[in-house]
Amino acid sequence: MATMTDTVRVWDPLVRIFHWALVAAFAIAWLTADELQPLHEIAGYIVAGLIAFRVLWGVLGTRYARFTQFLRGPATTARYLSETLHGREARYIGHNPAGAVMIVAMLLTLSGTAFTGWLIADPARQAFLPDLPPIVASAQADEDEYGERGGEREDAIEELHEVFANLMLLLVALHLGGVAFASLRHRENLARAMVTGSKRAPEPGDVD
Ligand code: HEM
Ligand code: HEM
């Protein structure tokens, strides 16, 4: 029988450094947007670099860092959500199936944010993109605040950059809600686990 002092190492140091560096870089990118452009772009590139590292580490990393350890199919994920609604979902030692979906959603949305930001920062980088279909182009062709009409595609990409950034804020709110909920349900401080790397040892019924 596990006692309160039995713990198991779950998050390796690189996952933890990745997580808290990502939180810091994302916060800086968010706070400096349209205020302090050079810092905004540096923070955004750091986010992009961290994601590239995490994708690599999801393939090569330690056990609980690997995508194959925590990504489950749609059926398992749906069952997990249904069990959660009924208050009888299992405790997972690694990421639970809902958390796994959230991680993929955050990594994709952050990639989209960083990529569109990179495109705006120098319009020459947009040269390889196809022209917008006329219906989208005309919807975007209103004069901007400086009375200029140019750059429909640029405007559309700026719009997309903000949509990604705002979507990310929503995902972070859901992420924090999920972390708080799972912490309460399984009486375990998950935020602390992302600092120390350790969680309560598996008990009967837990999914390892
Ligand atoms: C202070 C606020 C935050 C806290 C307390 C927090 C906490 C956590 C915890 C506890 C986990 C592990 C979840 C689990 O046990 O399965 C996690 C994972 C994760 N969080 Fe956060 N988080 C915060 C903010 C953020 C922000 C702002 C982002 C994105 C910009 C983010 C992105 C992620 C990602 C990508 C993972 C997956 C970690 C991995 O396996 O590499 N988090 N977070
Ligand atoms: C990945 C994290 C990022 C986040 C959360 C983010 C967020 C934002 C937000 C919210 C805005 C809108 C500001 C406003 O008009 O009120 C913005 C604008 C902008 N961002 Fe980002 N961004 C990120 C990455 C990047 C990167 C990597 C670059 C370029 C290298 C970049 C370049 C720009 C530019 C050029 C603008 C336009 C500023 C303007 O409206 O004149 N961003 N960003």
Side-chain angles (χ1 to χ4, degrees):
M1 164 113 190
T3 66
M4 291 300 281
T5 50
D6 283 338
T7 58
V8 57
R9 295 281 278 170
V10 180
W11 311 124
D12 67 60
L14 290 181
V15 166
R16 290 179 272 148
I17 292 169
F18 157 78
H19 184 269
W20 297 112
L22 180 65
V23 172
F26 176 74
I28 291 171
W30 183 263
L31 294 173
T32 56
D34 225 14
E35 301 284 341
L36 203 57
Q37 207 54 30
L39 190 54
H40 178 74
E41 295 183 13
I42 290 169
Y45 287 138
I46 291 175
V47 168
L50 287 168
I51 291 168
F53 158 75
R54 186 61 185 93
V55 169
L56 212 67
W57 201 237
V59 178
L60 305 174
T62 57
R63 175 163 178 212
Y64 296 102
R66 290 187 190 220
F67 296 126
T68 51
Q69 197 281 328
F70 62 81
L71 289 180
R72 322 265 164 170
T76 307
T77 307
R79 195 173 340 112
Y80 179 81
L81 289 174
S82 154
E83 285 167 357
T84 302
L85 284 177
H86 295 96
R88 51 181 160 75
E89 79 283 9
R91 171 177 175 256
Y92 279 70
I93 302 307
H95 296 300
N96 70 49
V101 172
M102 179 56 80
I103 292 167
V104 173
M106 289 197 287
L107 295 182
L108 288 175
T109 306
L110 285 170
S111 305
T113 318
F115 180 60
T116 48
W118 177 80
L119 285 175
I120 314 164
D122 179 358
R125 292 171 182 159
Q126 300 171 21
F128 71 94
L129 292 173
D131 283 331
L132 288 174
I135 183 158
V136 182
S138 63
Q140 289 287 338
D142 296 342
E143 290 184 357
D144 66 18
E145 59 201 289
Y146 309 108
E148 291 168 349
R149 291 184 68 85
E152 288 116 31
R153 188 169 60 196
E154 277 170 61
D155 289 352
I157 295 172
E158 272 185 39
E159 203 73 46
L160 200 57
H161 186 60
E162 287 190 41
V163 168
F164 275 129
N166 287 320
L167 174 63
M168 194 55 210
L169 217 52
L170 177 71
L171 293 180
V172 167
L174 291 171
H175 169 56
L176 296 184
V179 167
F181 178 80
S183 295
L184 289 172
R185 282 281 300 140
H186 304 294
R187 296 182 312 283
E188 169 165 63
N189 186 338
L190 293 177
R192 191 165 155 271
M194 197 36 96
V195 175
T196 63
S198 299
K199 291 172 80 169
R200 194 168 73 236
E203 292 155 8
D206 289 353
V207 181
D208 192 11

